[in-house]
């Protein structure tokens, strides 16, 4: 009996020890499980954050690609514009060079014209007598030579016919015209504002001062042609009547100054047309 009790005691002690060990293992397992669960949850959260970060980086990369594409497109457009601008600038430079060349040509022509005009006026002035210089005025205005002659030294009184006194002066002017073949000549008649005397024999068919001024200019043109052989193709006759006065017609001296005939010597029109033809075209029109 005593032996049996001993065995039972041993078995009970063994069970007790075994029960304690199992409970401790369980507690350890539970603690480990909690730790694993915590680690899993933490890892899961870290993975979600990493995935969110990857998504954000992908979005940023996509946006950067879009920005790069837009920048590349803008750069290509700028390069195309730059190339176009370079072409336009090149054309503009060429046009400026052509214009400068044309301007230099005009300056040379003007300088040559001014020199010829100066020589012309000096030659004519030197050929005139002191008495003629009192009634002949020679000027150069804007590249044009103006020779102004008083009516009483050219025409018979109250007439459009050339008087004998005019021959000597007109011969000197004719020589100048003949020597300078590259010039055209306009003969322009001018009167005062006093109505003409239609009772005079030569005035019966003349209507007014305008008619008289034109007839006087025509008389000078024909006189230069008939007496001195001036080429009529270079001559033009025109009348301006009383409408181009130098001074007021209120005084006799003023009216005397306004009664004049102007011989206007200018470069030939075809020379100006040649200059126009040489002008650079404006391609920007």
């Amino acid at each position: 009996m005593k032996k049996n009790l001993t065995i039972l005691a041993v078995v009970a002690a063994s069970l007790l020890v075994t029960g304690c060990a199992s409970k401790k293992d369980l507690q350890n397992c539970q603690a480990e499980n909690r730790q694993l669960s915590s680690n899993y949850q933490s890892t899961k959260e870290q993975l979600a954050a990493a995935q969110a970060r990857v998504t954000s980086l992908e979005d940023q990369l996509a946006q950067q690609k879009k920005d790069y594409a837009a920048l590349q497109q803008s750069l290509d457009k700028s390069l195309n514009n730059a190339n176009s601008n370079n072409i336009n600038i090149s054309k503009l430079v060429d046009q400026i060079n052509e214009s400068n060349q044309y301007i230099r040509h005009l300056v040379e022509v003007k300088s040559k014209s001014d020199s010829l005009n100066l020589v012309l006026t000096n030659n004519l002035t030197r050929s005139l007598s002191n008495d003629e210089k009192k009634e002949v005025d020679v000027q150069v205005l804007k590249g044009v030579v103006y020779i102004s002659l008083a009516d009483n030294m050219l025409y018979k009184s109250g007439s459009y016919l050339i008087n004998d006194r005019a021959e000597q002066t007109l011969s000197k002017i004719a020589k100048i015209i003949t020597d300078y073949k590259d010039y055209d000549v306009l003969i322009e008649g001018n009167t005062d504002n006093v109505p003409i005397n239609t009772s005079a024999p030569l005035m019966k068919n003349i209507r007014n001062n305008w008619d008289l001024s034109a007839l006087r200019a025509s008389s000078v043109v024909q006189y230069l042609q008939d007496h001195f052989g001036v080429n009529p193709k270079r001559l033009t006759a025109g009348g301006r009547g009383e409408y181009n006065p130098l001074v007021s017609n209120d005084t006799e001296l003023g009216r005397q100054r306004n009664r004049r005939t102007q011989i206007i010597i200018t470069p030939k029109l075809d020379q100006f047309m040649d200059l126009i033809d040489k002008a650079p075209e404006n391609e920007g029109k």
Side-chain angles (χ1 to χ4, degrees), residues 182-197:
D182 292 331
Y183 288 76
D184 282 332
V185 182
L186 168 63
I187 313 299
E188 184 183 88
N190 296 268
T191 69
D192 57 26
N193 64 348
V194 178
I196 63 172
N197 179 13

Side-chain angles (χ1 to χ4, degrees), residues 8-37:
L8 289 173
V10 171
V11 170
S14 298
L15 291 174
L16 180 62
V17 171
T18 301
C20 291
S22 298
K23 184 176 181 180
K24 185 176 181 180
D25 289 341
L26 178 61
Q27 290 176 346
N28 290 336
C29 288
Q30 289 176 343
E32 184 178 356
N33 183 57
R34 287 194 296 272
Q35 183 63 39
L36 289 174
S37 296

Side-chain angles (χ1 to χ4, degrees), residues 3-201:
K3 184 179 180 179
N4 290 334
L5 289 173
T6 303
I7 294 170
L8 289 173
V10 171
V11 170
S14 298
L15 291 174
L16 180 62
V17 171
T18 301
C20 291
S22 298
K23 184 176 181 180
K24 185 176 181 180
D25 289 341
L26 178 61
Q27 290 176 346
N28 290 336
C29 288
Q30 289 176 343
E32 184 178 356
N33 183 57
R34 287 194 296 272
Q35 183 63 39
L36 289 174
S37 296
S38 176
N39 291 341
Y40 171 76
Q41 184 65 31
S42 176
T43 302
K44 187 177 180 180
E45 291 175 356
Q46 291 177 4
L47 178 60
Q51 289 177 339
R53 178 62 177 166
V54 169
T55 301
S56 176
L57 290 174
E58 288 177 345
D59 292 341
Q60 292 179 20
L61 179 61
Q63 184 61 44
Q64 288 178 354
K65 287 181 178 180
K66 290 181 180 179
D67 293 342
Y68 174 79
L71 180 61
Q72 185 65 43
Q73 184 177 4
S74 176
L75 179 60
D76 292 340
K77 185 176 180 181
S78 298
L79 290 175
N80 291 334
N81 290 336
N83 292 333
S84 176
N85 289 335
N86 286 337
I87 294 174
N88 292 334
I89 291 173
S90 178
K91 289 182 178 179
L92 180 60
V93 170
D94 291 340
Q95 291 177 2
I96 291 174
N97 290 335
E98 289 180 5
S99 297
N100 289 337
Q101 184 177 0
Y102 176 63
I103 291 172
R104 287 194 295 271
H105 178 64
L106 288 180
V107 171
E108 291 175 0
V109 171
K110 184 179 184 301
S111 178
K112 180 179 178 181
S113 177
D114 290 344
S115 298
L116 288 174
N117 289 338
L118 181 61
V119 173
L120 186 155
T121 54
N122 288 340
N123 289 344
L124 177 59
T125 302
R126 283 198 299 267
S127 68
L128 296 175
S129 66
N130 290 333
D131 290 337
E132 287 174 324
K133 290 178 182 179
K134 295 177 182 178
E135 298 182 290
V136 178
D137 181 44
V138 183
Q139 295 186 39
V140 178
L141 299 175
K142 296 181 180 180
V144 178
V145 178
Y146 291 84
I147 305 171
S148 184
L149 302 96
D151 70 328
N152 57 358
M153 76 168 298
L154 284 178
Y155 311 106
K156 295 179 180 180
S157 178
S159 171
Y160 55 84
L161 298 178
I162 303 296
N163 61 31
D164 296 334
R165 181 185 170 204
E167 181 175 3
Q168 182 178 2
T169 302
L170 289 178
S171 68
K172 297 173 182 178
I173 295 174
K175 184 178 185 309
I176 292 294
I177 294 173
T178 303
D179 289 344
Y180 293 86
K181 300 183 184 300
D182 292 331
Y183 288 76
D184 282 332
V185 182
L186 168 63
I187 313 299
E188 184 183 88
N190 296 268
T191 69
D192 57 26
N193 64 348
V194 178
I196 63 172
N197 179 13
T198 57
S199 62

Side-chain angles (χ1 to χ4, degrees), residues 206-223:
I206 300 177
R207 293 168 296 181
N208 48 41
N209 281 325
W210 215 332
D211 280 354
L212 177 60
S213 66
L215 284 169
R216 285 183 167 177
S218 179
S219 294
V220 173
V221 164
Q222 295 181 61
Y223 197 90

